[in-house]
Amino acid sequence: MKIKEVDREEYLSLGNLACAGCPETLGFRHVLKALGPNTIVINQTGCLAVVMQMAVPKVPHFHVLFENSAAVISGIDDALRVRGKREGVNLLVVAGDGGTADIGLSALSGAIERNQDFIYVCFDNESYMNTGGQRSGTTPFCARTSTTPVGKVIRGEDRVPSLRKDMLEIVAAHHIPYAASTSIAYPLDLIERVRKAAAVRGPSYIHCHSPCPTGWGIDTSEVVNAARTAVQAGVVILYEVEAGVRRRTKRVAKRKPIEEYLRFQARYRHVLDDPEALARIQKDVDERYEAITAALA
Amino acid sequence: MTAEFWNGTMAAAAAAKQARVQVNAAYPITPQTHTVEYLSRFVNDGELDARLCKVESEHSALSACAGAAAVGARAFTASCSQGLALMSEVMYFTSGMRFPVVMAVANRTLSVPVNIWADHQDTLVNRDAGWIQIYTQTVQEIYDLILLAFRIAEHEDVCLPALVAYDGFILSHASEPVHPLDQAAVDAFLPPPGSADRPLLDPARPLQFGEVLFPDWYPDFELKKHRALADSLGTIRKAFEEFEAASGRRYAPVDAFATDGAEMVIVGLGSMMKTARHTAEKLREDGVRVGTAALRVFRPFPAEDLLEAVGGCRTVLVLDRDIGYGTGGMVYPDVTRILYHEDHRPDVLNFIVGTGGKDITPATIERCVELARGGYRGRVEFWPDARGAEEGVPYTEEPAAP
């Protein structure tokens, strides 16, 4: 895909309530460009729902509850089918990681299992940023959040085993027609994944890595670099699962060491001088990278 | 149409089918489940052109109905008890969005202790969720009032969700003769599904739904929602009249029996009011002037209708098949609220009866009347069917002496 092929229309108005450098708003802008005007957006409670209060998109936008977007869009899908109005309309859910991996997982699982026709995009900023940065099921090991503070006894997220919830693999286990991971650092990849998702009959899921400058303590000018480094370090692996077949969508020639990704972020400051924690994080990243790579076609 | 022999769950399903619901989303829970099963059969047999959204929870059931309503479809769900408690969050969401979803509730209490039988705890704890609440006394009423609920909820002056409650097992699993309307009569009574003129999610006309409202404007919104529900009583009365023309069956927000010149009037919800009426008929033969006033419509609260029914009596017996822990019955305060401002204020006694499905028999009602004739006044609360501190004591605390 080439940049020339990207829709020049802006579906989000200029000016909104997002933090400076917000990657989720950037990603949402690109998702809407990928889908175009015949789209209905269901927005699960999260940062984007607040951002959208004053953003006024050029597509219908419905902020629902924290955990029910996949159920609401199921009803819309069914209703439009019965009314003979389903053709040509993209049904899109946008949600955060808390709404997706935690409180809304049941509704999402049900909607995928029922083979409802919708596109679900999860912007993963690895914590509940809208409520001030509490840990979620996708918060990585050692990360500092407001509910995993760096204390005198426990230092950051301390779950054992240390790997976070793997939403893409959870979704893939539902035999979903299409699922993919992507990153706000690769907008063309994001647009391509969303277009592919839209072409699918039935459910599709996009997991978009979305580093949060406010919550993670990243300089706003470095947000995209941090996101790109996550991919280059193999912390985030870009691949798609189509009819059960896993394909890599972004190759990494030589993986960068984990420190290069962590040093962008204040939430890891306490581990940069902790060789034991660094080794543990690196080991987890290596093992998952190898496991996913082995599963790729 | 000839009479059918239906139980309550079938009457609910048949009404939804004849209303031509387009999306039905529900989750199994006893004693409501058969409604979902019947609807599934109608769809799978090609008798109903609807989608069955086979959701993974009640929370999702009502959420799917809300989604269907957001694009203009006629949506129906059924639930009760724990399921209704799980739905509670979405009930507020649905009324705030002014989505005219209709729900049948086979009333069942809330755990624990585990209990699958009837009382009104499940719908009453959600009495302030902004829904129209209708309580039925017979299987025929379940059928009729679900049809009416679609008519009322979707009316352009109302646009609010409505639930039709019927007692679990007592009505859900008991079969009675029901006289359904023929399909042509239902089609003439209800507007075609999906024809309502209200804001919808439509890419041709992008709108923002479900947005934040800051404190400065919040009271204005609350007032509008409150007024919409309160004022829906006018639409309900009109719909009852139109239904009478279509069916020959007459309904009123309060179902009053022998209240004129009554010394005592029994007030309450649901099927126990048929038992109360039966008992009152018998007591009247013995010269006890007892009337009954069943609150068929509970939200909006039919204050004028109730005042008309109880205005002249000496004692009102409020039968609550529920308990507001730490205060008393949940129907009671609505009754005293309106009577307090009257020049003639009858004594209002509260009876907590039939919780968790304990049978309410004519003997229960007779006991209530007997206690009410004991000269008790004030904030007295009786538990005539609970065991007291000592075996055989009909109430937990000795009420104020006559």
Side-chain angles (χ1 to χ4, degrees), chain B residues 70-238:
Chain B
V71 291
R74 184 169 287 166
F76 177 75
T77 186
S79 191
C80 64
S81 187
Q82 312 303 122
L84 206 63
L86 184 60
M87 262 185 197
S88 185
E89 181 198 19
V90 196
M91 290 181 73
Y92 283 79
F93 170 78
T94 309
S95 63
M97 291 305 305
R98 307 291 293 271
F99 291 148
V101 174
V102 171
M103 167 157 58
V105 179
N107 283 115
R108 165 183 155 184
T109 196
L110 289 163
S111 289
V112 291
V114 178
N115 179 298
I116 58 170
W117 294 278
D119 68 28
H120 305 141
Q121 200 76 12
D122 54 356
T123 42
L124 286 180
V125 295
N126 287 301
R127 70 192 181 278
D128 299 323
W131 284 54
I132 290 167
Q133 288 207 355
I134 294 168
Y135 290 80
T136 58
Q137 303 170 64
T138 65
V139 177
Q140 180 74 57
E141 285 189 22
I142 299 169
Y143 170 84
D144 289 348
L145 286 154
I146 286 174
L147 289 180
L148 273 156
F150 284 107
R151 170 85 184 206
I152 295 159
E154 292 177 6
H155 193 282
E156 59 179 1
D157 295 340
V158 179
C159 267
L160 281 169
L163 70 79
V164 176
Y166 59 100
D167 291 325
F169 293 106
I170 298 165
L171 290 178
S172 67
H173 286 58
S175 294
E176 295 177 354
V178 176
H179 296 269
L181 302 183
D182 59 34
Q183 187 61 52
V186 175
D187 289 342
F189 180 67
L190 292 178
S195 62
D197 182 22
R198 54 189 171 83
L200 301 176
L201 287 175
D202 179 3
R205 190 167 170 255
L207 294 172
Q208 285 263 45
F209 275 42
E211 303 308 324
V212 77
L213 192 62
F214 291 100
D216 186 35
W217 279 96
Y218 204 79
D220 307 61
F221 181 88
E222 289 293 85
L223 177 62
K224 276 186 192 299
K225 187 171 165 183
H226 172 55
R227 296 298 321 185
L229 186 51
D231 294 348
S232 70
L233 202 57
T235 306
I236 291 171
R237 282 186 215 287
K238 196 155 171 288

